[in-house]
């Protein structure tokens, strides 16, 4: 009898211990559930794993679209909390973005998405199969684009990049300074040289320009000397009007056209000279409007074509086009854990609504839809493109980047007389 009582007591004790353990396990489970973040719960609810994507663009530095683009990414992440986006954008100035992209792709560290130059700069990446053919990429939406999409078509017949906007370059002039000094805004080469002479007699710098970061200066002086027919030449052609254009930069430097320290200034510094109204003119692109708006001086500025005096063209011809686009890396597209998120983000960024939101920051011609209620100065730029008898890409988008870098960095040597335009072009061609 006594043994039966002991057995019953042991049984009841075991049952009690089992019940206590079960309750403890349940409470622990509840505590873990209570500690989960809303994002975790949402991800478990939709069954999607967390994904991290890296995006590289040129929308950084002084580009007004940078802030807008970051907001676009923040909004997207808020709607898709399982996706984390690292914005690794770099300035397009001084070749920073080119160096980054080349480094990333050569080290097997390519970004999932990039907004980059779809020019000779991307040839190596495309030829190596590092980016996808968007027309054959499942899920990618290329509907709604205007003719800028076709401009992205590669020589192999495929489209690897989707455009965001087009651009134009020209001579930006401060109308107020011209009016205050009773100087005529130039429409001919002779008037351009006269404006240089007249402003050089004042405390106003005629042209805000760097002779080492001389991208736009080199292009426009070559265009002026030869017109579009000669401007479109290859470097190997050794076109004499290109050399003439480079020598004209030296001629105008001696006339006092540029800042005294032009050989040590970078693009941001000369932009500041113009925005501070210390200079009357500057060679820039349509993206520059955003900075002018921020500086509160856009309404005092207009953009005109570089006066052409060469027999191979006419004034009104401009540098422009659509040379940047959104690429998807092959590595990310082939990664099943990332493909859905990559394609969805690509379609979101290139949708008409979001594309127009980004483009509105700079006022450039959009690749989808239309910007409305344009200020007069932005509308004038769009008219510049519409009225242009010819438009062609920048020289640095058409020749070996190292060759163009050599040309622009040799401009100070041309200015100080140690080299000629012809000599520099021959040396640059030897690099190709």
């Amino acid at each position: 009898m006594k043994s039966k009582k002991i057995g019953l007591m042991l049984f009841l004790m075991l049952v009690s211990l089992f019940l206590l353990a079960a309750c403890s396990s349940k409470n622990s489970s509840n505590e873990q559930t209570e500690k989960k973040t809303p994002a975790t719960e949402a991800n478990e609810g939709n069954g999607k794993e967390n994904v991290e994507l890296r995006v590289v663009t040129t929308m950084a530095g002084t580009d007004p679209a940078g802030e807008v683009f970051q907001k676009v990414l923040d909004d997207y992440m808020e709607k898709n909390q399982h996706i984390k986006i690292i914005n690794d954008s770099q300035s397009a100035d001084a070749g920073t973005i080119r160096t980054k992209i080349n480094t990333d792709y050569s080290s097997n560290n390519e970004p999932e998405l990039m907004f980059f130059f779809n020019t000779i700069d991307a040839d190596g990446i495309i030829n190596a199969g590092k980016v996808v053919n968007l027309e054959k990429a499942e899920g990618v939406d290329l509907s709604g684009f205007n003719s800028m999409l076709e401009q992205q078509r590669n020589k192999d017949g495929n489209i690897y990049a989707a455009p965001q906007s087009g651009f134009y370059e020209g001579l930006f002039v401060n109308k107020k300074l011209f009016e205050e000094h009773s100087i005529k805004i130039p429409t001919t080469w002779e008037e351009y040289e006269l404006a240089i002479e007249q402003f050089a007699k004042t405390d106003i710098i005629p042209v805000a320009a760097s002779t080492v970061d001389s991208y736009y200066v080199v292009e426009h002086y070559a265009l002026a000397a030869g017109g579009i027919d000669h401007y479109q030449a290859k470097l190997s052609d050794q076109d004499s009007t290109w050399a003439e254009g480079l020598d004209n930069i030296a001629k105008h430097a001696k006339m006092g056209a540029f800042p005294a320290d032009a050989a040590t200034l970078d693009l941001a510094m000369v932009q500041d000279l113009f925005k501070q109204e210390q200079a009357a003119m500057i060679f820039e692109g349509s993206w520059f409007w955003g900075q002018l708006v921020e500086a509160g001086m856009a309404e005092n500025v207009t953009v005109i074509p570089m006066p052409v005096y060469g027999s191979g063209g006419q004034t009104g011809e401009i540098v422009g086009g659509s040379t940047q686009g959104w690429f998807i890396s092959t590595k990310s597209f082939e990664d099943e854990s990332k493909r859905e998120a990559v394609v969805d983000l690509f379609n979101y960024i290139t949708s008409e609504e979001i594309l127009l939101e980004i483009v509105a920051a700079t006022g450039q011609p959009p690749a989808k839809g239309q910007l409305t209620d344009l200020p007069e100065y932005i509308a004038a730029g769009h008219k510049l493109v519409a009225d242009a008898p010819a438009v062609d890409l920048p020289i640095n988008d058409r020749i070996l980047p190292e060759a163009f870098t050599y040309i622009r960095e040799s401009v100070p040597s041309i200015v100080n007389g140690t080299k000629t335009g012809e000599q520099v072009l021959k040396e640059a061609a030897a690099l190709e």
Side-chain angles (χ1 to χ4, degrees):
M1 187 73 177
K2 185 176 180 180
S3 62
K4 287 183 178 180
K5 289 182 177 179
I6 293 173
L8 179 60
M9 290 176 65
L10 289 171
F11 174 75
L12 293 173
M13 289 173 65
L14 288 172
V15 170
S16 298
L17 288 170
F18 175 80
L19 291 173
L20 285 170
C23 291
S24 175
S25 175
K26 184 177 180 181
N27 291 337
S28 176
S29 176
N30 287 339
E31 288 175 2
Q32 289 180 0
T33 300
E34 290 172 359
K35 290 179 181 179
K36 291 179 181 177
T37 64
T40 303
E41 291 179 346
N43 295 342
E44 288 183 351
N46 60 29
K48 295 180 179 180
E49 297 291 333
N50 289 336
V51 180
E52 182 174 288
L53 307 178
R54 188 165 64 92
V55 179
V56 175
T57 80
T58 58
M59 290 177 277
T62 58
D63 188 342
E67 184 176 343
V68 178
F69 179 62
Q70 183 59 57
K71 181 180 181 300
V72 166
L73 296 182
D74 290 341
D75 290 346
Y76 182 84
M77 286 188 285
E78 180 65 28
K79 298 172 186 174
N80 301 272
Q81 294 190 12
H82 65 293
I83 298 177
K84 178 182 178 181
I85 303 173
I86 298 174
N87 183 3
D88 202 10
S89 297
Q90 303 284 323
S91 172
D93 295 346
T96 306
I97 187 68
R98 291 177 172 89
T99 301
K100 175 162 187 60
I101 292 299
N102 288 332
T103 301
D104 283 354
Y105 273 86
S106 62
S107 59
N108 198 34
N109 186 40
E110 54 262 47
E112 279 68 37
L113 292 180
M114 69 172 179
F115 182 65
F116 188 57
F117 302 105
N118 188 19
T119 60
I120 192 171
D121 294 288
D123 281 355
I125 296 170
I126 291 173
N127 294 338
K130 296 283 190 176
V131 289
V132 302
N133 176 2
L134 297 177
E135 290 184 301
K136 293 185 178 180
E138 184 178 354
V140 169
D141 184 6
L142 294 181
S143 64
F145 285 101
N146 57 29
S147 61
M148 291 184 199
L149 179 64
E150 194 58 33
Q151 292 178 38
Q152 302 290 327
R153 191 171 296 281
N154 191 266
K155 55 190 175 185
D156 66 6
N158 299 326
I159 292 180
Y160 299 97
Q164 180 167 283
S165 63
F167 73 95
Y168 58 84
E169 296 177 11
L171 185 59
F172 286 67
V173 301
N174 186 319
K175 296 183 296 183
K176 187 177 74 170
L177 291 179
F178 273 83
E179 291 171 2
E180 289 176 352
H181 292 82
S182 301
I183 298 174
K184 184 179 185 298
I185 293 177
T187 57
T188 67
W189 180 256
E190 292 74 21
E191 290 175 351
Y192 174 64
E193 291 194 318
L194 180 60
I196 290 174
E197 291 177 359
Q198 292 176 321
F199 274 116
K201 297 175 182 177
T202 72
D203 59 349
I204 300 297
I205 300 167
V207 183
S210 164
T211 54
V212 65
D213 271 355
S214 52
Y215 298 88
Y216 316 128
V217 180
V218 168
E219 292 166 357
H220 286 89
Y221 271 71
L223 177 63
I228 206 72
D229 289 348
H230 293 277
Y231 177 83
Q232 293 172 331
K234 298 177 181 178
L235 178 56
S236 58
D237 295 335
Q238 292 292 286
D239 193 292
S240 62
T241 63
W242 285 29
E244 185 178 335
L246 291 173
D247 291 335
N248 279 335
I249 297 175
K251 172 189 173 184
H252 287 172
K254 291 180 176 60
M255 292 168 57
F258 314 123
D261 53 351
T264 62
L265 299 178
D266 61 23
L267 289 177
M269 292 174 179
V270 297
Q271 288 169 345
D272 284 342
L273 287 175
F274 186 81
K275 290 185 292 185
Q276 293 164 8
E277 298 193 311
Q278 296 181 44
M281 298 176 278
I282 186 172
F283 292 102
E284 262 293 350
S286 45
W287 51 84
F288 191 47
W289 284 116
Q291 292 189 50
L292 297 179
V293 170
E294 289 181 357
M297 62 177 297
E299 293 183 356
N300 292 329
V301 177
T302 191
V303 59
I304 62 174
M306 177 62 166
V308 173
Y309 71 87
S311 59
Q314 58 182 301
T315 297
E317 297 167 341
I318 63 172
V319 178
S322 178
T323 59
Q324 282 187 275
W326 284 100
F327 294 79
I328 297 177
S329 72
T330 301
K331 182 179 178 181
S332 69
F333 190 77
E334 293 180 348
D335 185 338
E336 293 185 3
S337 69
K338 290 185 176 182
R339 182 187 302 162
E340 182 181 350
V342 168
V343 171
D344 188 67
L345 178 58
F346 175 92
N347 289 339
Y348 179 79
I349 291 173
T350 60
S351 66
E352 182 173 324
E353 178 185 355
I354 300 302
L355 185 148
L356 288 175
E357 183 179 341
I358 297 172
V359 173
T362 58
Q364 298 189 82
K368 279 186 178 182
Q370 293 290 331
L371 295 175
T372 57
D373 301 321
L374 293 174
E376 183 180 346
Y377 49 87
I378 296 291
H382 288 207
K383 187 175 186 300
L384 184 76
V385 177
D387 293 345
V391 181
D392 200 27
L393 297 177
I395 292 174
N396 68 297
D397 288 339
R398 297 189 283 111
I399 70 174
L400 184 72
E402 291 80 3
F404 186 79
T405 296
Y406 183 82
I407 292 171
R408 69 172 177 81
E409 291 185 346
S410 296
V411 171
S413 297
I414 299 173
V415 170
N416 66 30
T418 57
K419 290 187 178 182
T420 65
E422 181 181 6
Q423 181 182 354
V424 167
L425 292 177
K426 286 181 179 179
E427 292 169 348
L431 299 174
E432 289 193 316

